[in-house]
């Protein structure tokens, strides 16, 4: 079916997708661990075998995006290479081999009246994933949903449509091999934005949770309009704090990686805070390393006095997720001042401290309320794959149910099973 054919009937198309997803969810909820592992193992093999077709589809998406004058950071998120496909294949394999969460007994206990109570993991049902530009989300979200017994509806952006479809075709090979219905994983077949609105309204009660993956505008719209629960973060305004006890080599190397490894990912550092006591020893080497890699520095008065190549930071810079080779830098008087700055400006995604003083580290960990806190390591480890989850369906910064990288366990709820022997309540 072509995009032109589905556009006039978005509501009907989405309603059918919702109904089919519910049927797929029922099948997955009772699928055996072996079926789910087979589905994902075969899918990983299909992605590897069909990488030429995936790369060709991605080349088509890249050409269209470049013609639109899309930013370098966006293009980096959209781009697939052999190495990135290797990563996708490895992620799906890792998820396939994870313990099956469905049916796991989280807790169990006996009551004085002889009742035995179990709290058991169950799938959420149907997950709607709305994402922009990142075709790897197709595989990560699909694999995590299947492993956790959930059907998934994927609505990718128009920029990654062909790439996502090529990956979905491989995922469907896995479902066929495991004798699971293809309705378990569906890619919305239209780039019409009306489809997003239909998903946010819940598709007649058939979507149980929405996961947005994209820019601030998309995530804000989802959080404002969704009539179903949302796992989301609004933005990744990530901080790195260099304590007065920081080792210089760690401070330089970690900051450089946190900012410049990939500037467009949500775990990329956007603000650097440096303790005043190490300005003379640490500031210039860190800034020089960043600028050597093409990073623009926007600093406060002290930073600008120490480096004439920097720009003056404004209040807006402390609030900005650049998603580009730009970082704001501020000198702080103490770890307490760093914590106060982070708590004021942070999006509660990821924050790092570079320090050798265990007291400073514990204070940082205890007093900052972000989903992920890192000591002496790059903030770009804020990723489900790096956590050992195989991948992530997103990173949640809220406090209900899921927080941080959302993996298979976070894609489950639970129910209680109570076993008795004829007990009645007085």
């Amino acid at each position: 079916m072509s995009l032109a054919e589905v556009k006039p009937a978005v509501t009907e198309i989405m309603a059918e997708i919702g109904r089919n997803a519910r049927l797929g969810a029922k099948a997955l909820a009772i699928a055996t661990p072996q079926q789910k592992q087979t589905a994902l193992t075969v899918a990983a093999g299909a992605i590897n075998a069909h990488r030429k077709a995936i790369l060709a589809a991605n080349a088509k998406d890249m050409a269209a995006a470049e013609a639109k004058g899309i930013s370098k950071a966006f293009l980096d998120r959209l781009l697939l290479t052999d190495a990135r496909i290797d990563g996708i294949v490895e992620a799906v394999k890792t998820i396939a081999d994870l313990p099956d969460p469905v049916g796991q007994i989280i807790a169990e206990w006996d009551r004085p009246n002889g009742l035995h109570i179990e709290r058991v993991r169950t799938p959420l049902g149907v997950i709607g994933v709305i994402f922009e530009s990142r075709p790897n989300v197709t595989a990560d979200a699909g694999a995590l949903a299947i492993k956790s017994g959930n059907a998934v509806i994927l609505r990718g952006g128009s920029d990654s449509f062909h790439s996502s479809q090529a990956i979905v075709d491989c995922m469907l090979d896995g479902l066929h091999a495991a004798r699971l219905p293809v309705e378990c994983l569906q890619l919305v077949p239209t780039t019409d934005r009306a489809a997003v609105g239909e998903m946010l309204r819940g598709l007649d009660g058939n979507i149980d949770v929405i996961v947005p993956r994209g820019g601030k505008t998309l995530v804000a719209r989802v959080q404002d309009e969704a009539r179903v629960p949302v796992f989301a973060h609004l933005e990744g305004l990530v901080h790195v704090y260099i304590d007065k006890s920081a080792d210089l080599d760690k401070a330089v190397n970690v900051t450089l990686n946190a900012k410049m490894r990939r500037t467009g990912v949500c775990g990329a550092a956007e603000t650097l805070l440096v303790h005043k006591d190490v300005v003379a020893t640490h500031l210039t080497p860190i800034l020089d390393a960043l600028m050597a890699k093409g990073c623009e520095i926007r600093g406060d008065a002290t930073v600008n006095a120490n480096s004439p190549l920097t720009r003056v930071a404004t209040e807006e810079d402390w609030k900005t997720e650049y998603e580009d080779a730009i970082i704001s830098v501020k000198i702080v008087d103490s770890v307490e001042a760093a914590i106060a700055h982070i708590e004021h400006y942070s999006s509660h995604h990821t924050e790092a401290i570079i320090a050798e003083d265990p007291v400073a580290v514990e204070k940082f960990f205890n007093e900052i309320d972000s989903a992920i806190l890192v000591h002496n390591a790059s903030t770009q480890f804020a990723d489900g794959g790096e956590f050992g989850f195989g991948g992530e369906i997103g990173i949640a910064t809220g406090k209900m149910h899921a927080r941080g990288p959302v993996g298979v366990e976070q894609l489950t709820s639970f129910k209680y099973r109570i076993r008795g022997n004829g007990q009645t309540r007085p």
Side-chain angles (χ1 to χ4, degrees):
M1 183 179 293
S2 71
L3 297 185
E5 290 174 319
V6 302
K7 250 188 172 183
V10 172
T11 300
E12 291 79 1
I13 290 292
M14 296 306 297
E16 183 178 4
I17 286 174
R19 291 190 295 269
N20 288 339
R22 183 58 63 189
L23 294 175
K26 289 181 178 179
L28 268 177
I30 59 173
T32 66
Q34 185 57 50
Q35 277 182 293
K36 289 181 278 187
Q37 185 170 31
T38 296
L40 298 182
T41 301
V42 171
I47 292 169
N48 188 49
H50 296 292
R51 68 173 60 218
K52 287 185 178 179
I54 296 171
L55 289 172
N58 184 247
K60 187 182 296 186
D61 288 334
M62 287 291 293
E66 288 170 352
K68 294 179 184 177
I70 299 297
S71 70
K72 288 183 179 179
F74 185 98
L75 290 173
D76 179 65
R77 293 193 295 271
L78 176 61
L79 177 66
L80 290 178
T81 63
D82 271 313
R84 290 186 182 183
I85 289 179
D86 287 341
I88 291 172
V89 170
E90 188 59 34
V92 176
K93 286 181 178 178
T94 300
I95 295 167
D97 292 336
L98 291 173
D100 193 310
V102 179
Q104 285 183 356
I105 298 175
I106 304 170
E108 59 182 323
W109 60 95
D110 292 308
R111 298 291 297 142
N113 60 7
L115 292 178
H116 182 73
I117 302 176
E118 299 171 337
R119 186 184 300 131
V120 183
R121 291 195 187 280
T122 60
L124 294 174
V126 177
I127 301 168
V129 182
I130 303 169
F131 62 100
E132 298 173 332
S133 75
R134 296 175 172 90
N136 64 293
V137 173
T138 308
D140 285 353
L144 290 166
I146 291 168
K147 186 69 178 186
S148 55
N150 296 289
V152 62
I153 299 170
L154 300 166
R155 199 287 183 180
S158 58
D159 299 288
S160 61
F161 186 83
H162 298 97
S163 306
S164 296
Q165 185 62 65
I167 294 171
V168 164
D169 290 342
C170 296
M171 301 294 291
L172 295 182
D173 286 349
L175 292 173
H176 282 299
R179 299 184 182 278
L180 290 169
V182 294
E183 290 80 9
C184 296
L185 187 153
Q186 299 176 85
L187 180 68
V188 174
T190 175
T191 58
D192 193 316
R193 293 186 178 182
V196 173
E198 295 294 331
M199 290 180 69
L200 297 181
R201 285 187 284 276
L203 301 183
D204 297 323
N206 284 312
I207 291 183
D208 295 290
V209 65
I210 291 281
V211 181
R213 291 285 301 272
K216 185 174 181 178
T217 301
L218 169 67
V219 178
R221 179 191 174 189
V222 170
Q223 292 179 320
D224 287 343
E225 297 181 19
R227 297 182 185 174
V228 293
V230 175
F231 291 164
H233 68 267
L234 189 57
E235 58 185 335
L237 189 49
V238 173
H239 297 78
V240 174
Y241 164 59
I242 309 298
D243 186 58
K244 65 181 179 180
S245 67
D247 175 84
L248 177 58
D249 287 340
K250 290 177 188 175
V252 172
N253 294 332
V254 170
T255 303
L256 186 62
N257 184 268
K259 176 70 248 186
M260 297 302 292
R261 173 187 166 269
R262 290 185 68 184
T263 59
V265 299
C266 61
E270 306 293 9
T271 296
L272 174 66
L273 305 173
V274 180
H275 195 288
K276 66 177 183 179
D277 289 358
V278 292
V279 167
T281 55
H282 289 46
L283 181 63
T284 297
I286 295 172
L287 298 187
D288 285 350
L290 288 167
M291 288 188 287
K293 292 292 186 180
C295 185
E296 177 185 318
I297 311 298
R298 299 181 183 179
D300 66 6
T302 303
V303 173
N304 279 271
N306 279 267
S307 179
L309 298 178
T310 62
R311 291 177 53 183
V312 177
T314 67
E315 174 65 16
E316 193 62 29
D317 284 306
W318 311 124
K319 304 174 182 177
T320 300
E321 180 185 17
Y322 299 110
E323 295 186 322
D324 203 349
I326 305 169
I327 193 168
S328 54
V329 185
K330 182 178 184 179
I331 308 306
V332 294
D333 291 340
S334 62
V335 63
E336 290 83 4
I339 291 169
H341 178 99
I342 292 169
E343 282 297 289
H344 182 73
Y345 293 103
S346 173
S347 60
H348 304 291
H349 188 293
T350 301
E351 328 293 350
I353 178 173
I354 313 302
E356 300 303 311
D357 177 7
V359 174
V361 174
E362 288 308 302
K363 186 175 187 65
F364 190 90
F365 276 11
N366 290 337
E367 296 185 22
I368 291 181
D369 186 25
S370 293
I372 303 169
L373 298 172
V374 186
H375 172 220
N376 283 353
S378 173
T379 56
Q380 299 220 7
F381 285 109
D383 175 88
E386 296 297 329
F387 276 45
F389 297 172
E392 67 189 25
I393 206 165
I395 291 184
T397 55
K399 298 182 182 181
M400 301 300 291
H401 183 74
R403 202 174 195 206
V406 179
V408 292
E409 288 189 2
Q410 291 76 27
L411 294 178
T412 61
S413 182
F414 57 84
K415 62 185 176 184
Y416 290 97
R417 299 192 304 212
I418 303 174
R419 303 180 190 277
N421 189 31
Q423 289 92 331
T424 59
R425 184 172 176 177

